[in-house]
Structures are given as structure tokens and as C-alpha cells.
Amino acid sequence: MAYGASATAHDAHEHIPTGWRRWLYSTNHKDIGTMYMVLAMIGGVVGGAMSWFIRLELAVPGIQYIDDFQFYNVLVTAHGLIMVFFVVMPALIGGFGNWIVPLMIGAPDMAFPRMNNISFWLLAAALILLVTAALIGGGPGTGWTVYPPLSNAEYHPGPAVDFAILSLHLAGASSLLGAINFITTILNMRAPGMTLHRMPLFVWSILVTAFLLLLAMPVLAGALTMLLTDRNFGTSFFDAAGGGDPILWQHLFWFFGHPEVYIMILPGFGVISQVVSTFSRKPVFGYLGMAYAMVSIGVIGFIVWAHHMYTVGLDVDTRAYFVAATLVIAVPTGIKIFSWIATMWGGSIRFDTPMLWAMGFIALFVVGGVTGLVLANAGVNTAVHDTYYVVAHFHYVLSLGAVFSIFTAFYYWIGKMTGRQYPETLGRIHFWLTFVSVNLLFFPMHFLGLQGMPRRIPDYADAYAGWNLVSSFGALLTALATVLFFYIVYRTFTAGEKVAANPWGEGATTLEWTVESPAPFHTHEEIPAMGRRQPAE
Amino acid sequence: MANARRRNGLIAGALFVVAGGMVGMAFAAVPLYQLFCQVTGYGGTPRIGVSEKPVAAGDRTITVRFDANVNSTLPWKFRPAQKEMTVRLGETVLAHFVARNVSAEPIVGTATFNVTPFKAGPYFSKVECFCFTEQSLDPGQEVAMPVSFYVDPEIHADPGTREIRTITLSYTFFRAVGDPGGTGKGAAGTDQNLLSTDKGSTRLAIAVGSIGNRIGKR
């Protein structure tokens, strides 16, 4: 790579900006990554608080705390949007992606450091807009899917939905700029000798994710613009009275929305691959298969969107196609699951905290994947459409999948980021507490859904009382686990042991473990040569 | 360095073009989606105005039921003049709906339509219909709104639709978007047509159907 010669031109400017300038003006991938993670933590607390409030209301039948049902809808909407756009994406892509990708490919920074800065601050502005939306004009009670006609001016006359649309526009622009930055960095700035087929799987996962963002986000932006003009400027893209069709919104939204769920989980796949390999002290099983499984999940992800719309009146042949295409996704996903297990097989496994989280991820993601296969069938889906079964499914793949992978990455890389190791015992307690509590929280939702309890309703029939109470106890325990997590962050910063460049030993072969801990402000200014470290995994 | 910069710029430029293209595709989806429905009869969209094609009337018959709905913001009464008709396949027949403005102001309405089962859409052809244009009713005015249509005999040759014995033709009347006091969207008095790209494309599709006469206004 020609980039090698350039690094010395940057010379040894060990000048590190200080104070607010360091953060507001930051062009450093590590600082920007850190800011993304702080944003994700703030988003996680806000979004989490909303979900705990929802579970508080749902703990027993009847109306306890939320007698304004629009407010309940706003809680559900804001919880969903915040968790998607302001927790999972900034943590995995903006946070760990920014921090780790340049380190892993031997690049001194991202390709466009200033664009990186604007990506972050656009997202921060988007979060402020979204919270503003929830506080004005009755709030957006549309669900994260913002379906018209509910989101039309007729049913949401205030400015709340407009604010939410603008927030999503900004978040989309942020992701789009970030995606372009990642693709350019990964394609152009790899260390000499690191071919695409020798890149660590985490880098592969970010590359595929960035392409999904690049293709999906503009479609959301287009659809949101149509909705905005429908609401404010008299167009009727989605208004039947003017010749439009609300179903068109669903097609456009889910053409974005389905790739979006892979955008949230693919970086997690990358993290799990690194961690399973490190703690099994073996290269990952079937490296190329793993990489191309992610590519094919990304490709197939674009042609299955209507499986979210089985009940809109698609004809039977169309539904048959979307059922078949959706089921096909199980094949590359199965390749990944079995390859992780095969990596562990015969390995010299260390059950440190990151490995516990990774194994927890695999177990729980399989549960979510299996219920996904159930839901993929149009016939079954018609029965459980919009019930808690769906809620259970997507929380198993996201709340227990993507979020577990965030914690995996946190415990795996925190030593590299801060130079201090997390407290091992507390980390394990955090894992087991979370593992038990989230299962207590979400598993009963399968039963509730199969019994027919509908989503997005603040009250329910008495028959559903038992499992709802169990679920709410799970939510309470999850809140305790979250407090414990923040205590662990505090302990890591104040009392964590100093760590060497590579605290994980021989299993950790990727380039980020060759720089000292904490990773200095400028890294890889001399481009590392890959030599025969082969494969990268 | 300059070389690497240039390559970074090239890749980023190409990616921006891709992103811009996807925004374009999202907007292209609007007319394409409607065209797709018109051409394939998707979602029960009937075919429009293909009366030139002579269709042999056979002996077989099919029952057509009529369904009329009014959006809650439109103070009209709207009902079919006949509940159902038995029609010979390929025969062009005329049916009527009756609409009455029960408010004290003139109102412009527009109707959307489809047929169920959806798969019958491609075989259900409307020759002329009041739904092709907006309808204006004075206070208290009642009009009969005609629709002429035929059912393509091919419907019983296609194994996917062979079993259909009943087709329901459904209309829903809405207050027209440009009508003052309508759904509250847009500022009254602005030129809706300039902004209403979507409606424009619908009109285009209807113009292709070569029917533009206002039937309801006497």
C-alpha cells in the first residue's frame, strides 16, 4: 500500500490536543470511537429506562402508571429508535469499529478523519432531536416503523413526528458518512501483505456492514423525505385519498429495515469470531467460509424485506418466495454458528469474561434464530403477527445477541483501550447476572406471544398476568446488572490492573495486540508488515 | 501520499454516487410501484380501459359483487345500486353506484378501487369508471355513477384462478386532497398539483388508459 511511505511524513507530532478541543474537534479514530461509546452508554441508559418503565406498567394487568396511552406509544417508539440508532449502532460500528479497525489493518487512522468527526456529531445532534421529539406535541407514538397513516398529519398533527423524521435523517447521514469512511479505509489503507483474504473477521464484518449501510440508508432517507412532504407540503405518496399507497411505505421502510437488523448483528458476529478464536487459542475454523457467510447474509438481507409484511395482502406466490428466501438465510448463519463451535472444538479454552459473553451470545442467538425460522413462515406468521412472540424473537437476536456482543467486545478490548484490565470476578458476576435476568425477561414472552398477547398495548387480559410478572422481575434484575456494569467501568478506570500489550496470550494474533496498552494516541505510524502471520485470524 | 489521497477520494466519490443512486431508486420506486400494480394487477388492481381488444363472450358466468365505502372525513353516502350481478365472461356490462352529498357544501371526492381475490385483478378490466377522475357533488346532490367492465374469459383458463366464482369490486371514496376542509394536509389555496408528484403519476397512468371524461357531474 502506498500509504506506507506517507506515515513518516506525518512525523513524530506527539502533540495531543487537550481540553474540550480534543473532543469537539477530534479527528483521532480512538477519541471518536470513545465518544461513540459514551454516546451509546448514554443512549443505553435512556433507552433502558424507557423499557423498564414499560415493564413496570406491564408487571400486572390494568393501568398502573401510564394512563396516557399516547405516552406509552411514545415510550415504545423512542425505546426502539434509541436502542437501534443510538446504542447498538454507535457501540459496535462507531465505537469498536472506529477504535479497532484501523488498529487491526495497520492503518494510522481512518481515511477521512474530519468526516469521522462530523459523523459523530451528526449522531449526537440526532439523539437530541429524537429526545426533543418525544417531549413536544404529544411525541411520536408511531412505533419505530413509523407506518402511515398513523404517522400522517391526520393522526400525528404536532411537530413530534417531523422532529423524529429529521432525527432519523441526521442519524442516517451520520451512518452513511461513517460507512463511506470505513469502506475507503478498509479497501485502501491495509498494511502491506494484508490481503482481503487475510483480514481479521471483525474487519470483514465492518466492511460488509458498511456496504449494507451504504445501500439501505439512502432508501430510508428517500422514504422519510416522502413522509415529510406528505405531512407538510401536501404530497400524497402514502395517502390513498391522493392516489398514494401506505403499503409503499412498508416496502420502502423494510427494504431499509431488514438490512438494518443485519447492520446491527454483523459487527457482533465479527467480535464473536475474534474472541472465540482468541480464547480457544486456535485460528477460527473455516475462515473464508466465515467471511463469505457474512457477505451472503448481507446480500440475501436485501431480498427478504416483505417477510415483515405477510399480512398486508401479498398474494400466495409472493409470500412463498419471501418464505423461501428468508429460510435460506439460515444456511450462512448456520455456517457461522457451527464454525464457532468447531473453533472451540479441541481448543485450549480459557473461560475468561469475554469468552463467557461470546458463548452466551452463541447460545442465545441460536434461540433467536430458531424463532426467526418459525416467524419466516407466512402461515405461522399470520397467527403470531404483532404478538409478543415477535418481541421475544427480535430481543433474543438484538438485546441478547447484539448487546451480548457489545459486552464481549467491551471486556475483550477494554484493556487495550484504557491500559487497565476489568475486574475478572465482577465481570463474571456481571455475565451470569445478565444471562439469567435477560432470559427471565424475554423467554416468557414466547409463551405470551403464542397465547396471543398483542404488542404495543399498555394493558392485557388477566390470563397473561403470570408470565408478565416473571418478565418484569427479569427486567428489574437486568437493571441491577446494568448498575453493576457501570460499577465495573468505574472500577476498571480507578483500580484496574495495568496490562501488557497482549494480555490474552498466544490466541490473540491480530495487530491491535502488537501495540502497547493503552494504545497510544498515534499508532501504526510505521506501517506494520504482515510477513507470514497467516492467516490474520 | 498524494496518490493515496487521490485513491481515497476516488473510492469515496464512487460510494457517494452509489448512495445518491439509492436515494434516486427510492423515489423511482413510487411510479414503478404503481406501474407494476397496473401492469400485473398486483394487490387486486384491475386493468383499465382495454376495450379495443375484442373478447369473445362465452357461456360461462361469474358473480361480481359490489362494495362501497366512504372515508370518515367525507360526508357522503355511497352505495352500489345493485348488490351483485351475474355476468358472462368477456361481456362488457354496466353497473351503477349511487353517491349523495349529505353536507351543506360542495365537495370534491375521489375513489380508490380494487378487486378481491387479488389474483383476479389481471382478469378484471374496467372500460370506463367514475373512479378515473375526481367527482364533485353539490350539497344534497345525488348522482348515479356508472362503471363498465368485463371479466376476461382467460380467468378460467389460468389454473391459478380457475376456481374463482365470485369477484368483489370495492371502492372507497375519499375527500380529494385539493378539496378545502379536507384531511388538513397542505395549506388551502396552494397549487396542490405542483407538489403532488404522486397524484401526477396516477393521472399519467390513467391518461394511458385514455379515459378522462367526468361522468358524475351533470
Side-chain angles (χ1 to χ4, degrees):
Chain A
M1 297 280 135
Y3 221 83
S6 72
T8 45
H10 265 304
D11 69 50
H13 58 130
E14 267 308 302
H15 168 67
I16 300 174
T18 51
W20 59 271
R21 279 191 181 81
R22 170 172 177 182
W23 303 102
L24 188 62
Y25 297 166
S26 181
T27 53
N28 180 290
H29 73 100
K30 302 185 192 77
D31 283 355
I32 292 174
T34 305
M35 288 196 291
Y36 266 113
M37 272 182 245
V38 171
L39 183 88
M41 284 185 185
I42 295 171
V45 171
V46 175
M50 289 171 169
S51 67
W52 293 317
F53 200 22
I54 292 169
R55 281 314 324 168
L56 193 63
E57 173 57 51
L58 293 177
V60 291
I63 299 300
Q64 275 69 237
Y65 305 96
I66 306 176
D67 45 12
D68 176 2
F69 295 163
Q70 169 70 6
F71 177 64
Y72 183 84
N73 290 344
V74 171
L75 276 183
V76 171
T77 307
H79 165 72
L81 288 174
I82 287 176
M83 288 303 191
V84 170
F85 287 97
F86 303 100
V87 180
V88 173
M89 287 172 66
L92 281 173
I93 307 169
F96 293 108
N98 258 312
W99 244 101
I100 302 300
V101 164
L103 284 179
M104 272 186 166
I105 64 173
D109 205 309
M110 297 287 282
F112 304 106
R114 287 183 191 160
M115 196 158 91
N116 208 5
N117 175 292
I118 197 73
S119 295
F120 173 76
W121 287 110
L122 279 178
L123 194 67
L127 179 57
I128 292 169
L129 268 179
L130 186 65
V131 175
T132 312
L135 297 177
I136 55 166
T142 58
W144 85 288
T145 51
V146 206
Y147 282 179
L150 181 56
S151 58
N152 279 351
E154 199 175 348
Y155 299 100
H156 273 86
V161 172
D162 300 311
F163 269 82
I165 289 173
L166 291 176
S167 165
L168 292 183
H169 263 311
L170 286 194
S174 157
S175 307
L176 199 56
L177 294 177
I180 289 172
N181 215 341
F182 275 117
I183 296 173
T184 312
T185 308
I186 294 170
L187 291 185
N188 243 4
M189 293 174 59
R190 299 187 309 276
M194 181 171 290
T195 59
L196 281 177
H197 283 174
R198 291 167 75 184
M199 282 194 321
L201 283 174
F202 180 65
V203 182
W204 262 108
S205 73
I206 294 287
L207 181 65
V208 175
T209 303
F211 270 107
L212 296 190
L213 280 168
L214 182 75
L215 296 173
M217 275 296 173
V219 177
L220 176 69
L224 285 171
T225 307
M226 292 177 210
L227 187 60
L228 198 65
T229 58
D230 265 17
R231 287 176 54 79
N232 297 292
F233 304 113
T235 58
S236 1
F237 289 103
F238 308 123
D239 184 358
D245 188 348
I247 303 295
L248 175 63
W249 165 269
Q250 298 193 21
H251 281 290
L252 290 174
F253 180 85
W254 286 114
F255 186 82
F256 146 80
H258 197 76
E260 171 67 20
V261 302
Y262 294 134
I263 286 164
M264 288 188 273
I265 200 65
L266 281 176
F269 284 175
V271 170
I272 300 305
S273 297
Q274 303 298 144
V275 169
V276 166
S277 158
T278 297
F279 290 90
S280 306
R281 292 184 236 194
K282 278 172 67 189
V284 81
F285 178 89
Y287 167 82
L288 275 184
M290 291 291 258
Y292 284 98
M294 287 192 283
V295 174
S296 48
I297 289 173
V299 171
I300 303 171
F302 275 104
I303 52 170
V304 296
W305 74 91
H307 68 210
H308 297 269
M309 308 165 49
Y310 283 141
T311 57
V312 303
L314 301 173
D315 76 17
V316 70
D317 293 344
T318 314
R319 277 177 287 164
Y321 159 75
F322 280 106
V323 169
T326 305
L327 292 176
V328 164
I329 296 178
V331 175
T333 314
I335 289 175
K336 297 206 69 75
I337 301 284
F338 286 116
S339 295
W340 286 323
I341 295 172
T343 307
M344 288 187 259
W345 184 269
S348 169
I349 303 180
R350 274 169 51 185
F351 291 99
D352 287 329
T353 306
M355 186 61 167
L356 291 180
W357 283 99
M359 294 172 74
F361 170 95
I362 295 171
L364 298 181
F365 188 80
V366 166
V367 176
V370 168
T371 55
L373 289 178
V374 174
L375 287 169
N377 294 280
V380 182
N381 190 294
T382 307
V384 292
H385 184 85
D386 260 351
T387 67
Y388 263 80
Y389 193 83
V390 180
V391 178
H393 158 69
F394 68 73
H395 281 92
Y396 261 84
V397 285
L398 294 178
S399 186
L400 284 63
V403 171
F404 267 49
S405 74
I406 292 172
F407 284 126
T408 308
F410 171 83
Y411 286 107
Y412 185 53
W413 281 314
I414 191 66
K416 179 55 60 188
M417 294 172 175
T418 63
R420 290 173 180 277
Q421 197 62 301
Y422 63 88
E424 181 65 38
T425 309
L426 283 179
R428 291 184 192 199
I429 294 173
H430 178 215
F431 168 74
W432 284 110
L433 185 58
T434 308
F435 188 84
V436 170
S437 62
V438 290
N439 278 293
L440 208 56
L441 168 54
F442 292 114
F443 208 82
M445 290 183 185
H446 291 115
F447 311 142
L448 291 169
L450 289 175
Q451 290 164 9
M453 178 172 162
R455 309 164 62 173
R456 293 173 169 160
I457 309 283
D459 193 7
Y460 49 83
D462 290 353
Y464 303 130
W467 286 120
N468 269 298
L469 188 61
V470 172
S471 180
S472 288
F473 270 120
L476 182 65
L477 277 182
T478 313
L480 291 179
T482 309
V483 172
L484 177 62
F485 170 69
F486 280 100
Y487 178 68
I488 288 172
V489 174
Y490 169 75
R491 288 278 297 183
T492 305
F493 275 92
T494 55
E497 280 176 38
K498 295 241 187 310
V499 287
N502 179 3
W504 303 125
E506 58 175 319
T509 55
T510 41
L511 284 179
E512 80 269 28
W513 304 112
T514 61
V515 303
E516 59 191 284
S517 302
F521 197 69
H522 295 295
T523 42
H524 294 323
E525 295 201 295
E526 274 180 43
I527 300 302
M530 278 293 287
R532 268 208 218 110
R533 304 158 129 278
Q534 164 71 357
E537 198 42 49
Chain B
M1 182 70 187
N3 190 25
R5 274 240 170 119
R6 209 171 60 82
R7 286 180 31 159
N8 283 353
L10 275 178
I11 292 185
L15 297 175
F16 272 111
V17 170
V18 171
M22 290 306 290
V23 176
M25 297 277 273
F27 279 91
V30 177
L32 286 177
Y33 180 72
Q34 280 172 343
L35 191 65
F36 176 72
C37 292
Q38 301 278 355
V39 171
T40 61
Y42 201 79
T45 311
R47 302 182 77 84
I48 287 176
V50 273
S51 59
E52 302 85 358
K53 190 177 123 199
V55 186
D59 296 336
R60 313 189 64 161
T61 60
I62 199 162
T63 304
V64 178
R65 287 186 178 154
F66 301 95
D67 173 47
N69 309 280
V70 184
N71 180 265
S72 58
T73 61
L74 181 70
W76 285 11
K77 295 282 181 216
F78 180 50
R79 60 182 171 81
Q82 61 292 306
K83 274 212 160 60
E84 61 178 49
M85 295 171 86
T86 300
V87 302
R88 288 199 302 156
L89 294 180
E91 177 190 29
T92 302
V93 291
L94 188 68
H96 285 88
F97 284 71
V98 179
R100 189 160 63 87
N101 183 350
V102 296
S103 78
E105 52 176 4
I107 294 178
V108 181
T110 179
T112 61
F113 50 87
N114 75 345
V115 297
T116 41
F118 293 157
K119 61 186 176 184
Y123 301 102
F124 193 95
S125 295
K126 291 185 179 184
V127 182
E128 283 191 35
C129 177
F130 62 88
C131 55
F132 293 159
T133 56
E134 291 180 349
Q135 304 295 322
S136 174
L137 288 187
D138 292 328
Q141 185 187 8
E142 180 173 281
V143 296
M145 296 184 169
V147 51
S148 70
F149 63 90
Y150 66 90
V151 181
D152 191 333
E154 285 295 306
I155 194 170
H156 282 170
D158 178 345
T161 54
R162 180 179 293 160
E163 83 287 1
I164 296 176
R165 292 291 173 269
T166 306
I167 297 176
T168 304
L169 173 60
S170 173
Y171 290 94
T172 304
F173 250 109
F174 293 86
R175 195 187 277 262
V177 171
D179 192 64
T183 54
K185 60 188 324 177
T190 58
D191 186 354
Q192 301 287 351
N193 287 333
L194 275 179
L195 297 162
S196 183
T197 52
D198 195 30
K199 198 163 74 181
S201 61
T202 310
R203 287 205 169 129
L204 195 68
I206 288 165
V208 170
S210 74
I211 304 238
N213 55 330
R214 286 174 89 101
I215 301 164
K217 199 169 187 179
R218 295 180 186 169

